[in-house]
Amino acid sequence: MATSLYRLGRTAFRRRWLVVLLWAVILGGAGVGAALAPAPSDDGTSFMPGIEAQKAFDLIGERFPGTDADGATARIVFVAPAGEKVTASGNRAAIDAFVTEASGEPEVQNAVSPFTAGAVSKDGSTAYATVNYEVKAADLTDTDKAALEKAVGEARASGLTVEVGGTALAEQPAAGGSAEAIGIGLAAVILLITFGSLAAAGLPLLTAVLGVGTSMAAIMASADVFGLSLTTGTLASMLGLAVGIDYALFVVSRYREERANGHASAEAAGLAVGTAGSAVVFAGLTVVIALAGLTVVGVPMLTKMGLCAAGAVVVAVLVALTLVPALLGMWPDAVLSRRTRKKPAAPAATGNGGTRWARFVLRRPVAVLVVSVAGLGVLALPAASLEMGMPGAESKPVSSTERRAYDALADGFGAGFNGPLTLVVDARDATDAKAAVTEIAKEIGATDGVVSVSSAQFNKAGDTALFSAVPATGPNDEHTKDLVRAIRSERAALERGTGATFEVTGSTAMNIDVAEALQAALVPYLAVIVVLALLLLLVVFRSVLVPVKAAFGFLLSVLAALGSVVAVFQWGWGAQVLGVEQAGPIMSLMPIFLVGIVFGLAMDYEVFLVARMREAYVHGDRATDAVVSGFRHSARVVVAAAVIMIAVFSGFVGSGESMIKTIGFGLAVAVLFDAFVVRMALVPAVLALLGDRAWWLPGWLDRVLPRVDVEGAGLTTLPPVTGGESVCQEPARV
């Protein structure tokens, strides 16, 4: 492999204009395709097939045709001034005026008055009106939103407190915008400090942005064909930028090193792609494995996100192997430090910070190992209490109208009013459908924890009914989860007695079912990606213990990160410092995202760091000397890459959205633990204790495994290359 990549690097360097033109054509073609493609839309597939809430939701769509559950809604909450009631003549007139004005807007399907729907609290202090739209929230125009805001403003002018919940005016969470801009800016500063060259700092950023641009344009161009949505590319954008910077950074760093060793520019580009590029290929493969593993979770949206992100990683690898050496060919000396440009043949320094740190660990391997494992183990303990859910309006800042509407409804109607359960009764097999539905509603209304049930609504055929049950507790309360289980446990007895069956759905039940399903899928997902990665690293390093050590270190870092997330966002430790408004369950998708992304980045650092150790060991160094050599060459680059990722992810902690804040914090601390504790401390400590045994491989397994030259051993025996340059016949040591 190293030999093939070496030739690819030299070819890209020499044919730089052709390579750059080819990438320009690819980017332009993808951009044109994205511009001409129809707007992405939901493909209509179930979010998570198989769970009860989804089955019930699908049944509603089948038995109640024409019901658009995806249409935007606005729940307008009115609170009377202290000492007054919303039913007072002046307050009632203001509310009626709002309903009349809202009903006249073109996209509004209907606006339901609280006085006709019975949506007034018992004490008369609070009421709410529901505005239903014919289109989805994402399709509402600024004009539609402005009309609603105008009507709300007029109601407020009457003296009422008016807040808006629902989806119509809610901001859609997105991992982008200023957070990514801040992250890229911090990455530029870190690269500039690391390399001391503006060109060396800018090249990884430029190629990463071009790679992400190509990937996102391709996703948008194929969105309509494959049923992708705008959110499908979120993970691809985030991870594509992360690994794009890392991979280009690895190649540029190795190119600078080879130039400092006295190689000509074309030769250095070939060697950089042949060695660092090999590590990039296998690091990319581990990331693709992690992302493709999302298919085992059973969520179609996650599967699409994972495959799109895997495609973005493949693009990042191709960019690093071709476009990076091509751009190096255009400015071969620009990425070099001033010292190298002045004295190109000067030998590299024999020691640096990485060398000193490696020797420190090698002198105290047991102490470093115990402290590292114990520290991460303590941080991982809260992960055992992980509770998954879907934070709603209660997690938003109190400055938002959605949060204030949520609180006003909870105060006026009870905590459970914000998360009613929807029950769909299938009475096709019942002798008397109406009697069966009445009996089921009566029994569920008598269940402990149910405050009230609504009147049943039948479909046209009269064989299916809908009604809602309001819990006494909030949507994310453990008692609400117990209530859903209790209601479902009554199904068998009620079905025997009435001949009808029912299922529980609604946003609260859906979130509960999704959380339980994802929590159950987390361990199989971890097992799949760890086993596949073990096999891949076994081939790369030709060692049994090194892959096991890598997997163990990853599990420690990801569990410590999950524990930190639980401590802050679920238990509330230090929550105020991060601006967390209300502690509660962790977003259901968060652990899956965390495991997949961190696994990919962790294996990046593992492959790049340990590949240099393996290279030194294969070329004759003792086991301990190989560890020092690996740190001398790679520690600074790995640290810079990790700091960049921490800076990028930390930028999302400042988001007002709880989901984005949680993801940003979790990824930042996970990279911190993995790069600075596992890779910088645990890895050298374990390798020091194992010695030569770290690279042990049974003879039979050595014969069975395919041979891939990641260390670049084959580069030392290549014949002279035409054009006056040849590969150095001695091992490339510094």
Side-chain angles (χ1 to χ4, degrees), residues 40-433:
S41 60
D42 186 4
D43 62 354
T45 58
S46 301
F47 177 77
M48 180 174 272
I51 61 176
E52 177 175 326
Q54 184 65 61
K55 292 178 181 177
F57 187 82
D58 295 339
L59 180 62
I60 293 173
E62 175 188 340
R63 302 287 178 86
F64 292 82
T67 300
D68 187 4
D70 293 331
T73 60
R75 178 174 284 178
I76 316 301
V77 185
F78 305 94
V79 181
E84 297 184 20
K85 295 185 177 182
V86 292
T87 53
S89 58
N91 295 332
R92 180 165 185 152
I95 295 173
D96 287 338
F98 167 83
V99 173
T100 300
E101 183 172 353
S103 301
E105 295 302 318
E107 297 293 350
V108 173
Q109 187 178 58
N110 58 63
V112 183
S113 170
F115 306 113
T116 58
V120 179
S121 63
K122 291 182 179 180
D123 61 4
S125 65
T126 309
Y128 68 90
T130 304
V131 180
N132 297 308
Y133 288 84
E134 296 178 350
V135 297
K136 298 179 181 179
D139 296 329
L140 287 177
T141 65
D142 292 339
T143 302
D144 297 328
K145 295 179 181 180
L148 179 60
E149 291 171 344
K150 177 177 176 292
V152 168
E154 292 174 354
R156 283 175 179 158
S158 69
L160 291 167
T161 297
V162 186
E163 305 297 347
V164 184
T167 60
L169 298 183
E171 294 184 3
Q172 300 300 317
S178 60
E180 285 188 357
I182 292 172
I184 292 175
L186 291 173
V189 173
I190 295 165
L191 287 170
L192 187 60
I193 295 173
T194 302
F195 285 134
S197 164
L198 189 60
L203 195 148
L205 289 174
L206 174 63
T207 55
V209 170
L210 289 175
V212 170
T214 302
S215 302
M216 295 305 296
I219 290 172
M220 289 187 288
S222 57
D224 187 62
V225 176
F226 295 104
L228 309 179
S229 65
L230 291 174
T231 57
T232 308
T234 302
L235 183 60
S237 174
M238 181 185 295
L239 197 54
L241 181 64
V243 301
I245 294 175
D246 277 4
Y247 296 164
L249 175 63
F250 295 160
V251 174
V252 172
S253 177
R254 188 59 182 256
Y255 172 82
R256 283 163 53 97
E257 181 184 326
E258 297 298 342
R259 288 295 303 274
N261 291 338
H263 288 110
S265 56
E267 183 71 6
L271 290 171
V273 176
T275 51
S278 297
V280 164
V281 169
F282 282 98
L285 281 176
T286 59
V287 182
V288 170
I289 287 173
L291 295 170
L294 288 172
T295 57
V296 307
V297 178
V299 181
M301 183 190 73
L302 272 183
T303 298
K304 293 176 183 179
M305 291 181 73
L307 294 178
C308 287
V313 172
V314 171
V315 171
V317 171
L318 294 175
V319 166
L321 299 180
T322 57
L323 184 58
V324 169
L327 293 178
L328 288 174
M330 292 183 172
W331 301 282
D333 296 332
V335 298
L336 304 180
S337 64
R338 292 182 179 180
R339 184 180 65 179
T340 304
R341 286 198 295 266
K342 292 178 180 178
K343 299 179 180 180
T350 57
N352 54 26
T355 303
R356 291 188 290 273
W357 172 253
R359 288 173 177 162
F360 170 82
V361 175
L362 292 176
R363 288 194 298 268
R364 305 168 182 84
V366 175
V368 171
L369 180 61
V370 170
V371 170
S372 301
V373 173
L376 293 177
V378 170
L379 290 170
L381 289 177
S385 302
L386 174 67
E387 296 177 7
M388 295 166 61
M390 189 61 69
E394 77 281 2
S395 65
K396 293 180 179 291
V398 292
S399 59
S400 68
T401 186
E402 295 100 321
R403 170 63 184 275
R404 294 195 298 269
Y406 180 96
D407 292 341
L409 286 171
D411 292 339
F413 297 90
F417 189 80
N418 285 294
L421 305 175
T422 300
L423 290 96
V424 52
V425 181
D426 185 354
R428 280 187 171 181
D429 297 331
T431 305
D432 187 338

Side-chain angles (χ1 to χ4, degrees), residues 154 176 344 394 420 449 500 505 543 643 678 700 719-720:
E154 292 174 354
E394 77 281 2
T505 186
S543 162
V643 172
V678 173
W700 66 268

